[in-house]
Amino acid sequence: MSSGDCLFFSATVIVATVVWVYIGRKWKFSVLALAMYFPTVAAVLFADDMHSFVIQCLGFNKVTTSIQYSLLGAVAAVAIVSICAVLDLAAGWAKNEDSSASSIHDHNKSVWGFVRAAGEEIGWRCFLLPCLMSRYSPCSALFISGIVWGLFHVPVMLLLSVRLKPPRPWLTILVQFTSVALAAFPHGWLAIQSNYALWASTMMHFVWNKVNPIVLGSIYTQTPGWLAGPQWLINGEGFSGCVIMFPVAVLCCWALQ
């Protein structure tokens, strides 16, 4: 695929997501989140050699590598959320929340949370990223994939901001976009190290979707976790996440040089 094809793939997913969110603007968040499968569906449609693509995604030729980097991805997700929590408390941005309410989104509560995370990762890290890597430097490829991944989240963030009217809605959308774009660097690094198999980046994505809401709340539903505070500020997908994820992104770029 040419670089234009890589970007056409990205645009197709984003446009489909915009249409989906517009059509389903009154749907529940769990239904809107079915858009997580769009990147994989598009990858299947765009793949030149489906057999080779499936073999690459499954990574069965390097099982040990997939397991090792999957464990690293899980640890990294927990570590980043934990460091965000320490930053939030140290800066006085958050306080302990005595709440039994669950902030984990319904679609992430079971094993299907892993399947949905894979729905994104197969498209972004198993298909788009190697396409970009074949034409750009590693840092440029990760940067472009991050911008695309961030834009993919904007439609639903716009809709939820209209629905929930959080404080500073535009800032909420901006920091969520930025944190996701930066998160593409560690997700992408894991994918590169594991030969673009789905497991490592999906595991990081899955564990993040579990741990971040429990500890820091949900920037999507504006629900507090163990810590309470403005979601645009304290969330792992908010300003706090941007602060912590930036040096992680720089480190990933440096490691790929």
Side-chain angles (χ1 to χ4, degrees):
M1 292 176 64
S2 67
S3 57
D5 290 333
C6 300
L7 299 179
F8 182 60
F9 162 82
S10 305
T12 298
V13 176
I14 292 171
V15 170
T17 304
V18 170
V19 172
W20 176 258
V21 170
Y22 178 77
I23 293 172
R25 56 193 179 277
K26 295 184 179 180
W27 296 343
K28 295 189 300 182
F29 180 45
S30 59
V31 178
L32 288 169
L34 290 172
M36 293 173 74
Y37 293 116
F38 288 3
T40 291
V41 172
V44 169
L45 295 175
F46 276 78
D48 294 327
D49 184 344
M50 182 54 60
H51 179 263
S52 298
F53 181 59
V54 171
I55 295 299
Q56 169 207 304
C57 290
L58 294 178
F60 288 160
N61 56 333
K62 291 196 174 182
V63 175
T64 302
T65 299
S66 291
I67 293 173
Q68 290 173 338
Y69 283 102
S70 293
L71 291 174
L72 179 59
V75 171
V78 173
I80 292 170
V81 170
S82 300
I83 297 171
C84 285
V86 171
L87 171 62
D88 292 335
L89 290 171
W93 297 342
K95 61 180 180 180
N96 290 319
E97 172 73 8
D98 183 16
S99 173
S100 60
S102 174
S103 55
I104 300 179
H105 309 139
D106 290 341
H107 52 278
N108 290 326
K109 287 182 178 178
S110 68
V111 68
W112 286 107
F114 185 89
V115 176
R116 292 206 188 204
E120 286 196 52
E121 294 303 317
I122 290 171
W124 300 136
R125 251 61 70 175
C126 300
F127 185 79
L128 176 63
L129 184 57
C131 179
L132 294 171
M133 285 285 289
S134 67
R135 289 154 182 85
Y136 301 100
S137 68
C139 284
S140 295
L142 290 174
F143 177 79
I144 295 169
S145 70
I147 295 297
V148 171
W149 198 25
L151 289 174
F152 173 70
H153 288 77
V154 168
V156 73
M157 285 299 297
L158 282 169
L159 175 62
L160 293 176
S161 293
V162 171
R163 282 186 185 178
L164 302 175
K165 297 178 173 57
R168 304 188 180 184
W170 291 108
L171 184 57
T172 299
I173 295 167
L174 176 61
V175 295
Q176 201 274 343
F177 163 83
T178 304
S179 66
V180 169
L182 291 170
F185 285 77
H187 282 79
W189 183 85
L190 288 168
I192 293 167
Q193 300 307 310
S194 53
N195 299 298
Y196 304 108
L198 69 91
W199 307 107
S201 61
T202 298
M203 181 59 73
M204 183 178 185
H205 195 154
F206 171 66
V207 173
W208 178 274
N209 285 349
K210 289 277 191 178
V211 177
N212 182 59
I214 290 175
V215 178
L216 303 173
S218 170
I219 198 169
Y220 299 93
T221 61
Q222 296 294 308
T223 308
W226 292 347
L227 300 183
Q231 283 296 307
W232 71 266
L233 179 61
I234 73 166
N235 198 270
E237 295 181 36
F239 180 74
S240 177
C242 294
V243 171
I244 302 305
M245 202 69 77
F246 180 76
V248 174
V250 172
L251 180 61
C252 290
C253 267
W254 174 82
L256 290 169
Q257 297 306 310

